């Protein structure tokens, strides 16, 4: 069942990113501007989806803990399908922008709920790889959109841009139908005191399919204990708790998630991919529609590097991968900046007149009058694609993985909605300011992103804890206790007596906080199980080492 669940999410991540990227390609097709867009509305196309995705992210966080992860996914997917015709068959820019805006809300919701859902059902030793598959689906959607647009751009009618937009309905419809077989998150069910349903889901995705399996029982108890502990805090399900300090340190966790999302944007990775056609030099390749072709090569490079991450993400730690990715990315950006500045490359805005319509775009002016200048242009292109590959392998994947691992159950949806939403806001800001930077400081733009990458590497080294191979409940203990947080090989058993004692000490309470043994003896919240319920794991392990209990 876990494989089937993950396949459905992969399909939809692919389809929504396909929808997002399709505009990047079709904005280079003249028929699109003739049919739909006018010069005064063209600049709005790149920003409206990311702005609305910011709002969709916040809405998803607000409703995910109230109506469930699966319900939010269903509503968003149906909304996505309903508004797709506005992007397929519009005859004016207002209708097209309305479609982009509403689909942006759904896109923002997906980027919060799907990684959250996978994190909550994935085994701890495969969590990074499974969430990385979502990023692979993202990049597959980007590459598919670019190549399909490249294949259709020469069609002699509006089909050149309507057909790529229409194809997104196929995987989206399959995803909606698949929601009938996808289970709800077991951690969400436990938080809503639906213990029997949670056990049934765990039995389906773990063990041998029965609730008597030891792995099912152990994981269920770990979930329940962590959630009961959270519920002992005042306002345990309010946004105000996100800004709390010790013992939970939720504000620190929130800042780590926001930093991860924002730092990825300030490394320039999305900018290089989005504006590949404009910033990469023209090498006189004999290809049709060079801007779309360059974009397709960039997105394919990004996709292949993400696939490589699927193999290694759970073998190496999060911290080493993020740190080396930022440093290597910084090196590439420095080289690109130096080549651009030494070659005196310029970036200009051009306008194509289509009679009653026109559109503006940007392009790089690269001198290629001598063999050395031509070699510099080739070197820039190679280093640029290497940069895309490095970021695809490291930050492109872990930007989605790492934040999902940081938060406790009741805070996870709300915190992810804020960090992901701010990520969308940074996309909007950087996509808008990058053309201005290129035209004014030219190659200095890459140096700005290089400095940002260097600062990011320092922040990762100093502040980011390691989460590889740990359950979400174990990660909770990293922030609540004074235990080693940076070692990739360290394990933090959620039932260890010294860890629990440290948690209680930090709370200023030397007594047992919850009568777990009484709950276990009664089956917990009215749940009736057909196996003998052992006493709570926290209390059990404390009994082994602390005779006074």
């Amino acid at each position: 069942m876990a494989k089937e669940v993950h396949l459905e999410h992969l399909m939809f991540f692919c389809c929504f990113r396909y929808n997002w990227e399709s505009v990047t390609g079709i904005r280079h097709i003249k028929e699109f501007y003739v049919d739909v867009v006018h010069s005064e509305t063209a600049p709005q196309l790149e920003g409206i989806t990311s702005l609305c995705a910011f709002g969709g992210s916040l809405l998803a966080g607000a409703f995910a803990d109230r109506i469930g992860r699966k319900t939010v996914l269903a509503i968003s997917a149906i909304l996505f399908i309903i508004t797709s015709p506005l992007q397929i068959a519009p005859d004016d820019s207002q209708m097209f922008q309305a479609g982009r805006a509403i689909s942006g809300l759904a896109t923002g919701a997906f980027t919060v709920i799907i990684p959250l859902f996978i994190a909550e059902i994935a085994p701890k030793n495969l969590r990074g790889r499974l969430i990385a598959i979502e990023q692979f689906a993202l990049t597959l959607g980007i590459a598919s959109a670019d190549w399909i647009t490249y294949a259709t751009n020469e069609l002699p009618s509006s089909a050149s841009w309507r057909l790529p937009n229409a194809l997104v309905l196929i995987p989206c419809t399959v995803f909606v139908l698949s929601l009938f077989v996808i289970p709800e998150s077991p951690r969400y069910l436990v938080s809503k005191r639906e213990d029997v349903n949670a056990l049934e889901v765990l039995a389906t995705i773990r063990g041998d399919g029965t609730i008597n399996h030891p792995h099912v029982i152990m994981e269920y108890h770990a979930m329940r204990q962590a959630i009961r502990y959270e519920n002992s805090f005042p306002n345990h399900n309010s946004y105000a708790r996100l800004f709390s300090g010790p013992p939970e340190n939720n504000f620190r966790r929130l800042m780590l998630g926001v930093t991860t999302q924002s730092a990825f944007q300030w490394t320039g990775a999305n900018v290089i991919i989005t504006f590949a056609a404009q910033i990469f030099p023209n090498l006189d390749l004999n290809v049709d529609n060079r801007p779309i072709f360059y974009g397709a090569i960039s997105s394919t490079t990004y996709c292949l590097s993400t696939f490589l991450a699927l193999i290694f993400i759970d073998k190496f730690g999060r911290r080493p991968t993020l740190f080396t990715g930022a440093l290597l990315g910084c090196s590439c950006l420095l080289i690109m900046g130096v080549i651009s500045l030494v070659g005196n490359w310029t970036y200009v805005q051009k306008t194509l007149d289509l009679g009653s319509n026109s559109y503006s775009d940007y392009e790089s002016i690269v001198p290629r009058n001598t063999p050395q200048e031509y070699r510099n242009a080739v070197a820039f292109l190679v280093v640029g694609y290497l940069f895309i590959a490095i970021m695809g392998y490291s930050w492109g994947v872990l930007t989605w993985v790492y934040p999902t691992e940081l938060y406790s159950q009741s805070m996870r949806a709300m915190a992810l909605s804020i960090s992901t939403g701010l990520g969308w806001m940074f996309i909007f800001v950087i996509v808008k300011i990058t053309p201005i930077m290129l035209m004014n400081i030219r190659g200095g733009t890459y140096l700005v992103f290089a400095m940002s990458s260097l600062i990011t590497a320092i922040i990762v080294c100093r502040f980011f804890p390691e989460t590889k191979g740990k359950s979400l409940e174990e990660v909770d203990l990293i922030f609540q206790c004074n235990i080693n947080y940076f070692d990739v090989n360290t394990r933090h058993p959620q039932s260890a007596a010294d860890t629990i004692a440290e948690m209680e000490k930090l709370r200023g309470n030397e007594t047992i906080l919850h009568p777990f043994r009484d709950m276990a003896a009664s089956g917990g919240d009215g749940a009736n199980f057909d196996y003998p319920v052992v006493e709570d794991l926290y209390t059990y392990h404390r009994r082994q080492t602390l005779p006074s209990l």
Side-chain angles (χ1 to χ4, degrees), residues 61 82 90 104 192 195 208 248 251 274 314 390 392 444 472 500 517 523:
I82 292 175
K192 293 300 181 181
D195 295 62
D208 58 2
E248 291 188 292
F251 184 67
T274 301
D314 281 320
I390 290 171
L472 298 180
I500 303 305
R517 284 172 295 201

Side-chain angles (χ1 to χ4, degrees), residues 231-438:
N231 291 345
S232 68
F233 287 86
N235 302 320
H236 62 85
N237 59 351
S238 70
Y239 277 92
R241 187 167 155 232
L242 282 173
F243 302 93
S244 64
E248 291 188 292
N249 293 303
N250 284 321
F251 184 67
R252 179 190 169 199
R253 305 191 205 195
L254 180 63
M255 288 298 98
L256 287 173
V258 171
T259 300
T260 303
Q261 286 282 350
S262 60
F264 175 56
Q265 305 308 325
W266 282 104
T267 59
N270 266 338
V271 168
I272 301 297
I273 296 171
T274 301
F275 293 104
Q278 290 86 347
I279 65 177
F280 284 167
N282 182 5
L283 299 182
D284 296 328
L285 299 178
N286 187 23
V287 295
D288 296 327
N289 205 324
R290 184 183 63 88
I292 300 179
F293 179 78
Y294 270 22
I297 295 295
S298 299
S299 59
T300 302
T301 303
Y302 196 43
C303 181
L304 293 177
S305 64
T306 303
F307 182 78
L308 185 65
L310 302 182
I311 303 173
F312 297 107
I313 189 170
D314 281 320
K315 293 184 179 180
F316 305 113
R318 315 297 193 237
R319 281 166 49 86
T321 304
L322 290 171
F323 179 75
T324 55
L327 280 186
L328 292 174
C330 173
S331 302
C332 291
L333 289 166
L334 284 174
I335 295 173
M336 294 167 68
V338 170
I339 292 175
S340 178
L341 289 172
V342 171
N344 195 29
W345 294 8
T346 58
Y347 300 84
V348 298
Q349 187 174 16
K350 64 177 182 179
T351 300
L352 178 63
D353 188 6
L354 300 175
S356 60
N357 294 348
S358 62
Y359 76 91
S360 297
D361 206 348
Y362 306 90
E363 68 175 350
S364 57
I365 305 299
V366 181
R368 289 177 285 107
N369 300 319
T370 67
Q372 183 59 48
E373 289 178 338
Y374 189 84
R375 286 194 292 269
N376 289 342
V378 172
F380 183 95
L381 196 65
V382 171
V383 174
Y385 284 129
L386 177 62
F387 170 77
I388 292 174
I390 290 171
M391 299 313 293
Y393 168 75
S394 57
W395 282 85
V397 172
L398 288 175
T399 296
W400 298 104
V401 175
Y402 193 70
T404 65
E405 301 175 323
L406 297 175
Y407 312 113
S408 58
Q409 176 63 33
S410 60
M411 295 287 98
R412 190 171 296 118
M414 291 185 286
L416 279 176
S417 70
I418 293 176
S419 61
T420 305
L422 289 177
W424 282 111
M425 184 58 69
F426 277 111
I427 290 176
F428 171 79
V429 172
I430 293 177
V431 166
K432 289 298 182 185
I433 67 173
T434 296
I436 300 174
M437 294 170 64
L438 287 171

